[in-house]
Amino acid sequence: MKNYQTALERYREAAEDGDMAAGRKLGKVLLEEGLRYLEAAALSGDAEALEILSGALASANKLLYKGQKQDGRELPSETDFSRVHIGDVVFFGRHVSKDEPISWQVLAVQEGRVLLLSKDILEYRAFHEKWGLVTWESASIRKYLNGDFLARAFSDKERFIIATTKVEAHENPMCNTDPGRDTRDKVFLLSAVEAEKYFPVNLDRRCFYCFADRKAGARAGWWWLRSPGFNEANAASVWEDGTFSYSYIRDVRGGIRPALWVEA
């Protein structure tokens, strides 16, 4: 253990002096150690430990990829999030149906974290698969985004820098329906409040399916928000023209635009 700590300190000193090779080596060492602890924390169900480790692994990930370029351009899956600005479009993760990078729009940069929203509709799904009353907390789409989607769209290294965040149960300004309780998620949908905050102009909320042929006259699609509709059998949505609406939770035509925070 002593030799390990000594080697770690030497790599750290070299990395701080600008040695990129040492920095990447340190990143790999920290990543490997972090993986062991992360696995143990996951098995024990310690959510707080998982969040702390995610932050530590984010630092390792930055060391690992710092300075790596291809033909003078940063690789799409290795975006340096410490350099992005609001309004930028970045690449992160890959589509679950096609081996192509996902485009994300930067909505906010604060306290060492970056908020991303998929630039396009990634797929179409129901908000909830069963009949009944539902909120974001119990919705099928929340389970899918933080389960299968998270596992398939991102590599292990990418998942490490996706932060577990408090997702507030915002009320829908259009109605008084109970929004349920706050949750803690890695991937989520915007609320009606957030959609209006980040896109105050209706036309800016218009969105297309990611693989749609716009030159051939493809129509914009509508997409889900996590806020409730006029009752718990409906969820808020953004219509094709960018206006707010609400739709039946089992409607499979609803577009999915995931949002997530990454460590910068």
Side-chain angles (χ1 to χ4, degrees):
M1 186 66 181
K2 183 178 180 180
N3 291 336
Y4 168 76
Q5 292 292 348
T6 300
L8 201 61
E9 288 302 318
R10 289 178 179 175
Y11 280 125
R12 193 187 305 276
E13 291 172 2
E16 291 175 351
D17 290 337
D19 188 333
M20 290 297 100
R24 288 192 288 273
K25 179 64 176 179
L26 176 59
K28 290 179 180 178
V29 171
L30 292 176
L31 196 59
E32 290 170 357
E33 286 300 301
L35 275 170
R36 296 190 182 96
Y37 286 106
L38 183 61
E39 182 179 8
L43 291 174
S44 66
D46 190 336
E48 183 177 2
L50 280 173
E51 186 171 1
I52 294 172
L53 284 167
S54 294
L57 290 170
S59 298
N61 206 41
K62 287 174 64 177
L63 282 171
L64 181 59
Y65 288 125
K66 187 176 182 180
Q68 288 192 355
K69 294 187 177 182
Q70 183 180 54
D71 299 328
R73 298 170 298 174
E74 291 191 357
L75 296 173
S77 61
E78 298 171 5
T79 299
D80 184 352
F81 287 105
S82 65
R83 298 182 180 182
V84 303
H85 300 87
I86 294 174
D88 286 350
V89 175
V90 299
F91 297 100
F92 186 60
R94 306 190 76 80
H95 290 280
V96 297
S97 59
K98 291 189 179 182
D99 189 23
E100 295 182 16
I102 300 175
S103 299
W104 303 81
Q105 184 173 346
V106 177
L107 297 187
V109 179
Q110 61 184 46
E111 299 178 354
R113 291 183 176 184
V114 176
L115 176 60
L116 302 179
L117 174 72
S118 68
K119 185 175 180 294
D120 307 300
I121 292 171
L122 300 188
E123 55 184 305
Y124 294 97
R125 281 180 174 266
F127 187 84
H128 192 59
E129 297 173 350
K130 298 180 180 180
W131 183 90
L133 306 181
V134 69
T135 62
W136 165 251
E137 181 185 14
S138 54
S140 301
I141 193 61
R142 175 183 174 231
K143 180 179 180 180
Y144 167 72
L145 289 174
N146 288 278
D148 194 39
F149 174 80
L150 182 66
R152 295 174 60 193
F154 305 101
S155 67
D156 289 342
K157 296 170 186 173
E158 290 167 336
R159 283 194 295 274
F160 289 147
I161 66 170
I162 300 176
T164 300
T165 57
K166 178 182 178 181
V167 178
E168 295 185 30
H170 292 150
E171 292 186 355
N172 189 333
M174 299 181 293
C175 53
N176 296 319
T177 310
D178 181 8
R181 299 183 298 182
D182 295 345
T183 59
R184 295 187 64 79
D185 302 309
K186 284 184 174 290
V187 188
F188 53 93
L189 301 178
L190 293 184
S191 67
V193 171
E194 291 166 340
E196 186 170 27
K197 172 185 176 181
Y198 296 117
F199 303 102
V201 179
N202 289 350
L203 288 178
D204 290 339
R205 299 186 208 110
R206 294 182 74 240
C207 191
F208 293 81
Y209 176 55
C210 55
F211 299 120
D213 188 351
R214 301 187 192 184
K215 293 182 180 179
R219 291 179 55 184
W222 63 271
W223 46 287
W224 292 111
L225 300 172
R226 71 173 185 270
S227 302
F230 66 90
N231 63 36
E232 290 89 345
N234 292 265
S237 57
V238 173
W239 211 239
E240 296 173 355
D241 60 359
T243 58
F244 290 110
S245 184
Y246 36 79
S247 304
Y248 178 47
I249 57 174
R250 296 183 66 187
D251 194 332
V252 296
R253 298 171 298 173
I256 306 302
R257 294 185 72 184
L260 49 87
W261 287 90
V262 296
E263 303 287 351

